[in-house]
Amino acid sequence: MIRTLDELANKLNELYPTRYSHFNQKQDGTFIVYLDQGEENFHADNKVLTEITLVDVELYSPEKNLLAERQLKDLFRVNGITYDKLPTTYIEDEKIFLTTFTIELVNDYKTMEELNNG
């Protein structure tokens, strides 16, 4: 199950070239950029119990790529990730289509000590 940005990046990169925020060089073909949009955590008893990281996954493609969209949806579904898909837009200056998925990565909060003790 994908719970962290690193795990997400690794899985996305198995599908298409993937980077956080942006690529340093122009990309040919289909590629993915992801950006975290902060957290909406679950609180109780003055503690964060669950971290919910909001992430935009941006799919760029020279043509409308239904297969790539389906692959992303399948990845999210298999990993229990909720998502919303925004309408696809065409960026005229770049001659590329953009489809954005907004997802939530849900992870039980653990302190550094808890993480180190396994």
Side-chain angles (χ1 to χ4, degrees), residues 19-20 26 44 50 63 69 91 115:
R19 294 291 181 276
Y20 180 82
K26 184 171 176 21
T50 304
E63 303 290 331
E69 290 180 25
I91 304 170
L115 290 171

Side-chain angles (χ1 to χ4, degrees), residues 37-56:
Q37 299 296 332
E39 295 181 356
E40 290 186 3
N41 298 327
F42 176 73
H43 308 263
D45 299 325
N46 295 321
K47 295 179 185 175
V48 172
L49 300 177
T50 304
E51 291 180 320
I52 303 169
T53 303
L54 307 174
V55 182
D56 284 344

Side-chain angles (χ1 to χ4, degrees), residues 90-106:
Y90 184 69
I91 304 170
E92 184 69 38
D93 293 347
E94 301 290 328
K95 305 286 189 239
I96 199 162
F97 287 89
L98 165 63
T99 303
T100 302
F101 294 86
T102 300
I103 67 169
E104 296 179 351
L105 298 178
V106 180

